[in-house]
């Protein structure tokens, strides 16, 4: 329930500013990495550019969207198995991940819709930052395979949970990073972005 008050205006400005900050940072990073990605991996951007041009009925766009949806479902399944399998085998359970939306989405149709939009904006960082680090390591190490390994090791350290079994995390992370690189370099950026959005919606 909302009341007409100056406090509501301040809340609106605060959340709008936060959303615009996320979009702005992602846009700046995209402008920085896009020319290098176009030069190094041109096939990665084909369907992505067609979407930006408004060619939504293109067959390649449809193919990459389907690949992204399947990959997103697989990533979400891996995340669930990472928590479920150790518990079944009697291992230490993982703590639940924090949810920035809380239970706001349970309040009705409009809050649920807003939460879905928020998930899309939050996934911008999950899409841009791996690409940025991949490009940086590619420019430094001069080989794409070495860049894969470097980004994979960096992500392994950054995303290691504070609870749960290490073996389950190693297996799950290995499956996750393999799916990510296969989707990105076999299907392209559009499928990669779709994978993150679909997995976020399913895990939510």
């Amino acid at each position: 329930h909302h009341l007409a008050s100056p406090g509501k205006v301040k809340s609106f400005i605060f959340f709008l500013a936060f959303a615009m900050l996320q979009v702005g940072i992602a846009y700046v990073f995209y402008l920085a990495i896009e020319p290098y990605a176009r030069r190094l991996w041109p096939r990665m951007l084909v369907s992505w550019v067609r979407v930006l041009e408004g060619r939504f009925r293109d067959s390649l766009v449809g193919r990459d969207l389907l690949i992204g949806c399947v990959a997103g479902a697989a990533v979400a399944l891996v995340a669930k198995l990472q928590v479920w399998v150790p518990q079944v085998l009697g291992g230490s359970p993982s703590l639940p991940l924090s949810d920035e939306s809380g239970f706001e989405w349970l309040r009705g149709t409009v809050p649920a819709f807003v939460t879905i939009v928020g998930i899309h904006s939050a996934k911008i960082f999950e899409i841009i930052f791996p690409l940025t680090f991949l490009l940086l390591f590619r420019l430094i190490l001069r080989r794409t395979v070495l860049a894969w390994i470097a980004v994979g090791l960096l992500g392994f350290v950054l995303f290691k949970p504070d609870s749960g079994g290490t073996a389950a995390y190693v297996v799950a992370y290995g499956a996750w990073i393999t799916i990510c690189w296969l989707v990105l370099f076999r299907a392209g950026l559009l499928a990669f972005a779709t994978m993150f959005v679909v997995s976020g919606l399913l895990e939510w």
Side-chain angles (χ1 to χ4, degrees), residues 1-5 7-9 11-12 15 104 107 110-111:
H1 182 62
H2 294 278
L3 298 174
S5 66
K8 293 299 180 183
V9 177
S11 296
F12 173 77
F15 286 109
E104 183 70 16
R107 296 180 58 195
V110 174

Side-chain angles (χ1 to χ4, degrees), residues 32-45 135-136 138-140 142 144 185:
I33 67 176
E34 196 270 346
Y36 295 98
R38 186 183 295 271
R39 177 168 58 88
L40 294 171
W41 309 300
R43 292 181 62 253
M44 183 190 298
L45 300 174
L135 181 61
L136 287 175
R138 171 60 177 81
L139 295 175
I140 294 172
R142 303 290 183 178
T144 301
F185 285 93

Side-chain angles (χ1 to χ4, degrees), residues 85-195:
V85 171
Q87 292 179 351
V88 173
L89 298 178
S92 57
S94 300
L95 295 175
L97 298 175
S98 60
D99 183 8
E100 63 275 5
S101 64
F103 293 99
E104 183 70 16
W105 50 275
L106 292 175
R107 296 180 58 195
T109 304
V110 174
F113 174 76
V114 172
T115 303
I116 291 174
V117 174
I119 290 174
H120 283 74
S121 64
K123 292 301 174 180
I124 292 176
F125 287 100
E126 296 186 21
I127 297 167
I128 290 296
F129 284 137
L131 294 176
T132 303
F133 282 113
L134 180 65
L135 181 61
L136 287 175
F137 281 115
R138 171 60 177 81
L139 295 175
I140 294 172
L141 301 174
R142 303 290 183 178
R143 291 182 180 275
T144 301
V145 175
L146 295 179
W148 290 352
I149 297 172
V151 175
L153 293 176
L154 179 64
F156 180 83
V157 174
L158 292 177
F159 300 120
K160 188 178 186 306
D162 296 329
S163 61
T166 302
Y169 172 70
V170 171
V171 174
Y173 183 81
W176 178 81
I177 199 69
T178 301
I179 294 172
C180 285
W181 293 150
L182 284 176
V183 170
L184 181 60
F185 285 93
R186 300 293 292 183
L189 181 57
L190 179 61
F192 188 70
T194 304
M195 177 189 70

